[in-house]
Amino acid sequence: MFCGRFAPTPSGALHLGNALTALLSWLHVRRAGGRYILRIEDIDRARSRAELAEQACADLRWLGLDWDEGPGVGGSHGPYYQSERCALYEEALVRLQAAGHLYPCYCSRAQLMAVASAPHGLAAEGPVYPGTCRHLSPEQRQAREAGGKTPSLRFALPDEPIAFDDLVAGPQHFPPGAGGDFIVRRADGVIGYQLAVVVDDALMGVTHVLRGGDLLDSTPRQILLYRALGWPVPRFGHLPLLLGPDGTRLAKRHGAVTLAGIRAAGTRPEEVVGHLAHLAGLIDRPEPVRPQELVPDFDLARVPRDPIRVPAEALAALNGRTGS
């Protein structure tokens, strides 16, 4: 069965870019008559806040989006908070280790902590890991462990290219070793984003993943994890990022860009949906509309591939400074 999901990280309030991803992934599933899941990616407890998870659910409902499985709804593929799914990730680690896909890494804490557990593009990781610990001898590993170093676990990339047809961005090709060997469990025991998202999507039966374009370069890693674990690979689609009128990443300096801030300005949810639908090429002008009204004519092919600049007048309207 066709199944999609939206999986926010509760380390900050939902912003317009999150809302665009939520809306388009919801429309994609509803147009196909499939199952839609909301999952809270709070695996890194130090960065996640329960009140922001609750706020995310409230913001989505305010927009007019619902879900068939997830917080407040339940379902047969729970739990729907990553922090409650750690046993499933450990099972996957055992399988990967038994198959020879993992190795311990003893590099410095500073290097390891640079790898965030929350979703991110590979650019956030800095230089490609050079494989320092991949070829350590058993004696060298014992010496490092004797020194009190707790290792992280890295996935050893096979020497093979990865290619896939992105639902939005089109054909993608990555050379062997793209991004370098990556962490699946940090030295402090926190499971890496790449592994957690694969385990969750696979066990929840997700067939189609629509998410932000900043995660496009993470996809080869996830495809390799799916293959290593013997699970079917879903179809991926990477949506354009929203930019401010000046062409920089949409941020607070552009006005209230969180849904909470926009709500506080008195803007109606239909206006937000209308502006997002217009930016995504679904309607000709930014007029108020409910998500359900967009379902019959939704076509993913109309969504731009390139980043989208949000006009200053659209931001002004969403901030309640002009009419929509």
Side-chain angles (χ1 to χ4, degrees), residues 7 63 80 102 104 117 148 150 152 162 168 178 191 204-205 242 246-247 284 286:
L63 274 182
Y80 297 96
L102 307 182
S117 288
T150 300
S152 63
I162 294 293
V168 178
I191 301 296
M204 290 181 178
L242 292 186
D246 56 0
D284 296 331

Side-chain angles (χ1 to χ4, degrees), residues 202-244:
L203 298 185
M204 290 181 178
V206 172
T207 61
H208 292 73
V209 175
L210 284 192
R211 57 190 181 185
D214 54 342
L215 290 168
L216 177 60
D217 56 6
S218 287
T219 306
R221 295 179 166 191
Q222 293 170 18
I223 290 175
L224 289 170
L225 285 171
Y226 278 106
R227 292 178 179 174
L229 289 163
W231 291 332
V233 179
R235 292 295 308 277
F236 291 97
H238 290 85
L239 302 168
L241 301 179
L242 292 186
L243 306 178

Side-chain angles (χ1 to χ4, degrees), residues 45 59 62 106 118 164 177 244 285 310 323:
R45 302 306 298 273
D59 285 342
W62 176 76
Y106 303 91
F164 63 96
R285 56 185 181 278
V310 182

Side-chain angles (χ1 to χ4, degrees), residues 106-137:
Y106 303 91
C107 294
S108 72
R109 178 177 173 81
Q111 288 175 292
L112 300 182
M113 293 306 291
V115 183
S117 288
H120 56 77
L122 301 193
E125 295 184 7
V128 172
Y129 181 69
T132 306
C133 295
R134 183 169 182 170
H135 303 295
L136 294 178
S137 67

Side-chain angles (χ1 to χ4, degrees), residues 104-289:
C105 175
Y106 303 91
C107 294
S108 72
R109 178 177 173 81
Q111 288 175 292
L112 300 182
M113 293 306 291
V115 183
S117 288
H120 56 77
L122 301 193
E125 295 184 7
V128 172
Y129 181 69
T132 306
C133 295
R134 183 169 182 170
H135 303 295
L136 294 178
S137 67
E139 293 75 21
Q140 289 172 316
R141 289 176 179 169
Q142 286 179 2
R144 282 162 174 75
E145 290 181 7
K149 289 188 176 182
T150 300
S152 63
L153 287 177
R154 287 188 184 268
F155 183 89
L157 293 185
D159 186 23
E160 62 182 79
I162 294 293
F164 63 96
D165 189 15
D166 192 272
L167 293 167
V168 178
Q172 303 294 314
H173 300 273
F174 292 83
D181 297 347
F182 59 93
I183 290 176
V184 290
R185 188 178 68 193
R186 293 191 331 209
D188 59 4
V190 174
I191 301 296
Y193 162 71
Q194 308 290 354
L195 178 64
V197 73
V198 166
V199 172
D200 290 343
D201 283 344
L203 298 185
M204 290 181 178
V206 172
T207 61
H208 292 73
V209 175
L210 284 192
R211 57 190 181 185
D214 54 342
L215 290 168
L216 177 60
D217 56 6
S218 287
T219 306
R221 295 179 166 191
Q222 293 170 18
I223 290 175
L224 289 170
L225 285 171
Y226 278 106
R227 292 178 179 174
L229 289 163
W231 291 332
V233 179
R235 292 295 308 277
F236 291 97
H238 290 85
L239 302 168
L241 301 179
L242 292 186
L243 306 178
D246 56 0
T248 62
R249 190 79 175 259
L250 202 60
K252 291 180 181 179
R253 63 181 175 275
H254 298 115
V257 295
T258 65
L259 293 185
I262 290 169
R263 291 176 68 178
T267 306
R268 293 183 298 137
E270 296 86 356
E271 295 178 73
V272 179
V273 173
H275 278 286
L276 292 174
H278 177 246
L279 292 170
L282 304 183
I283 57 178
D284 296 331
R285 56 185 181 278
E287 57 188 8
V289 64

Side-chain angles (χ1 to χ4, degrees), residues 16 254-257 261-262 264-267 312-322:
L16 283 174
H254 298 115
V257 295
I262 290 169
T267 306
E313 56 269 25
L315 289 173
L318 291 172
N319 281 272
R321 294 197 296 268
T322 68

